[in-house]
Amino acid sequence: MASDTELTPTSYINHHLTNLTTQVSEGSFWVLHVDTLVTSLILGVISFGSIWLIVRKATPGVPSKRQAFVELAVEFIDNEVKNTFHGNRHVFVAPTALTIFVWVLMMNAMDILPIDIMAWIYEHAFGLHNWRTVPTTDVNTTFALALSIWFLMLYFNVKIKGWGGWMHELFCTPFGKNPLLWVLNLLFNFIEYVSKPLSHSLRLFGNIYAGEIIFLLLGMWAATGVSGAIFGAILGAGWAIFHILIVTLQAFIFMMLTVVYISMAHESH
Amino acid sequence: MNINFTLISQAVAFSVFIWFTVKFVWPPLLRAIEDRQKTIADGLAAGERGRHELELASQRSSDVLKEAKQRASEIILQAEKRASEIVEESKRTAKEEGDRIILGAKADIEHEVFSAKEALRQHVAELAVAGAAKILRREVDAKAHADMLVSIGEDLK
């Protein structure tokens, strides 16, 4: 904690939850969280770059250990997609699911990094006072993903069913074709379309954000002395181990929901 | 919880990563996996075919074996029959040969007996002549009495 002001629990937590921002243009919207963007870009480039390097030399014969590892991940995801999506999944849906799973997993996994050591490194090695390591604790990231998928969902709805088919679905499902029910159907679908991206993004954000907060709270045990620090470290280790599950599970859930939403856009009711 | 330009930048990054995966990561790996699946399927099919062929071959070999056994037993049967035939035939030939030998021997014996009788007769005639000469106590003119001697010899036959 390289804060110049007096260190209180509030300032400690605030320090860790403050993004490095830069003003892109006039207005409160045109702010960029540099840490979120840079971290996620680095993670994406590293993971997809290394996967690409491995896959580029993929052989149908006996695979190398690295190739086998990538194949394991790909086939796991491909199986999940196959069970949900009944179309040619190789064109778009399965690679998208792979992208989401790998990227979200990597971004979530940043939560495992010890938060204060990372802060010290950012401060002293890079001279960055505020730097949030976990891109998925930024609601912008999760909303960006969820909204992109939401637009994909609309795109596939129109592409597969046509404007007429989609409108028919909006007005005539789930309760029936009766004109009296049109308003009800539309309202129902409207709520569904609004709630989908919200629940999709906030679930991921909430889980990872809460995880980070708990790390911060456990980190504050260090303020009570040596025994408190040891106690906090033990609890922190336990939470980190448990967090491995949450990190993976949330990435998986996010991917599965994506596949389900896009599949629903492909299937008429 | 402030939504700002980060959202758009992240969405752009997301779409770039999706494009990258769709374009460069998924197809080569899928191709490799599908090729391998095909190879494995071919291998399994070949194994199945091999097993089937082995089954056929063992069926065939047992058929051949059975036939060979049958042939062998036929041959043995034939050989036994032939052997007993040969034994019978040789018995018969031996008997014939024996008979012939016996017959020959009998003829020889008869011939011997005849010549022995002849020799004996000659001897007896000479003895008779010598005896008669002694009895007469005089010289018998062999030439003068040859006729008589011959006729005595004839009589002794």
Side-chain angles (χ1 to χ4, degrees):
Chain A
M1 270 65 47
S3 186
D4 299 330
T5 55
E6 193 194 355
L7 190 64
T8 64
T10 316
S11 71
Y12 170 74
I13 289 181
N14 269 337
H15 166 245
H16 279 297
L17 295 183
T18 307
N19 284 101
L20 177 66
T21 55
T22 177
Q23 196 73 29
V24 182
S25 177
E26 291 294 309
S28 66
F29 177 77
W30 295 103
V31 175
L32 184 67
H33 290 167
V34 181
D35 45 6
T36 302
L37 183 64
V38 169
T39 313
S40 61
L41 282 180
I42 289 173
L43 289 172
V45 168
I46 288 176
S47 23
F48 297 113
S50 50
I51 290 177
W52 177 65
L53 285 178
I54 295 164
V55 156
R56 209 163 47 124
K57 290 176 283 184
T59 160
V62 180
S64 63
K65 286 195 175 61
R66 286 175 193 175
Q67 191 192 332
F69 174 72
V70 174
E71 278 178 17
L72 210 66
V74 163
E75 280 183 357
F76 164 69
I77 287 162
D78 193 38
N79 267 328
E80 298 297 335
V81 175
K82 191 164 64 188
N83 292 334
T84 313
F85 181 78
H86 309 291
N88 188 358
R89 61 187 186 279
H90 297 306
V91 175
F92 183 78
V93 182
T96 304
L98 176 72
T99 315
I100 290 169
F101 182 70
V102 171
W103 200 30
V104 172
L105 181 70
M106 290 299 284
M107 292 193 288
N108 287 355
M110 290 297 104
D111 220 358
I112 309 280
L113 293 177
I115 193 157
D116 286 312
I117 295 177
M118 292 315 289
W120 188 88
I121 291 172
Y122 297 135
E123 181 92 42
H124 292 92
F126 300 105
L128 302 163
H129 182 59
N130 286 317
W131 189 276
R132 290 181 69 183
T133 320
V134 194
T136 37
T137 53
D138 188 340
V139 78
N140 286 296
T141 307
T142 61
F143 265 121
L145 293 175
L147 282 178
S148 305
I149 289 152
W150 191 70
F151 279 115
L152 280 174
M153 200 166 77
L154 299 189
Y155 166 73
F156 280 118
N157 259 317
V158 173
K159 191 189 169 201
I160 303 296
K161 298 164 189 163
W163 280 104
W166 187 40
M167 284 303 142
H168 179 267
E169 193 181 289
L170 286 181
F171 281 97
C172 297
T173 56
F175 300 118
K177 286 194 181 87
N178 194 324
L180 289 175
L181 295 169
W182 281 7
V183 177
L184 199 59
N185 283 332
L186 188 64
L187 190 71
F188 189 87
N189 281 316
F190 178 75
I191 293 169
E192 198 180 315
Y193 273 98
V194 170
S195 67
K196 268 178 184 170
L198 276 177
S199 69
H200 198 189
S201 59
L202 290 179
R203 179 182 296 106
L204 178 63
F205 167 74
N207 273 282
I208 306 303
Y209 189 79
E212 197 189 24
I213 294 286
I214 287 176
F215 276 122
L216 289 174
L217 294 176
L218 292 173
M220 288 197 302
W221 275 97
T224 61
V226 176
S227 55
I230 293 170
F231 183 63
I234 293 169
L235 284 182
W239 180 243
I241 291 166
F242 184 59
H243 212 56
I244 295 172
L245 177 70
I246 296 176
V247 157
T248 319
L249 197 65
Q250 286 306 320
F252 180 71
I253 289 171
F254 200 87
M255 178 201 85
M256 278 317 291
L257 281 175
T258 304
V259 175
V260 168
Y261 289 166
I262 294 182
S263 301
M264 282 166 78
H266 278 74
E267 283 157 13
S268 20
H269 295 282
Chain B
M1 280 271 291
N2 40 350
I3 302 294
N4 54 32
F5 183 64
T6 317
L7 191 150
I8 292 169
S9 66
Q10 288 287 72
V12 170
F14 181 47
S15 45
V16 169
F17 285 136
I18 289 181
W19 169 80
F20 184 78
T21 313
V22 168
K23 190 98 178 148
F24 296 109
V25 171
W26 197 265
L29 196 67
L30 187 72
R31 208 159 42 236
I33 290 173
E34 278 176 349
D35 281 359
R36 185 169 328 123
Q37 276 173 341
K38 198 178 161 300
T39 312
I40 292 171
D42 287 354
L44 287 177
E48 189 60 35
R49 217 163 41 236
R51 221 170 52 103
H52 188 63
E53 268 165 19
L54 180 69
E55 225 164 68
L56 284 181
S58 75
Q59 181 76 38
R60 222 163 30 231
S61 82
S62 80
D63 281 358
V64 167
L65 208 67
K66 213 157 69 191
E67 204 188 299
K69 270 184 187 158
Q70 204 179 341
R71 284 280 313 274
S73 65
E74 267 171 23
I75 288 169
I76 289 170
L77 216 67
Q78 252 175 14
E80 273 171 0
K81 216 170 96 191
R82 180 95 191 90
S84 67
E85 267 175 21
I86 287 170
V87 168
E88 283 302 311
E89 204 183 298
S90 53
K91 268 187 193 162
R92 215 177 54 237
T93 344
K95 199 160 153 18
E96 276 172 9
E97 185 73 19
D99 287 353
R100 226 180 47 231
I101 289 169
I102 290 168
L103 226 62
K106 270 184 184 161
D108 277 359
I109 289 166
E110 261 167 33
H111 186 252
E112 285 296 316
V113 166
F114 179 75
S115 47
K117 272 183 183 166
E118 197 67 20
L120 201 62
R121 206 174 282 130
Q122 193 74 33
H123 210 61
V124 167
E126 278 170 13
L127 274 179
V129 172
K134 270 176 187 166
I135 293 164
L136 290 175
R137 293 212 198 231
R138 61 174 175 123
E139 217 170 293
V140 178
D141 189 2
K143 276 175 192 159
H145 300 100
D147 291 346
M148 196 180 62
L149 287 173
V150 168
S151 80
I152 291 169
E154 286 292 319
D155 288 345
L156 283 170
K157 273 188 189 170

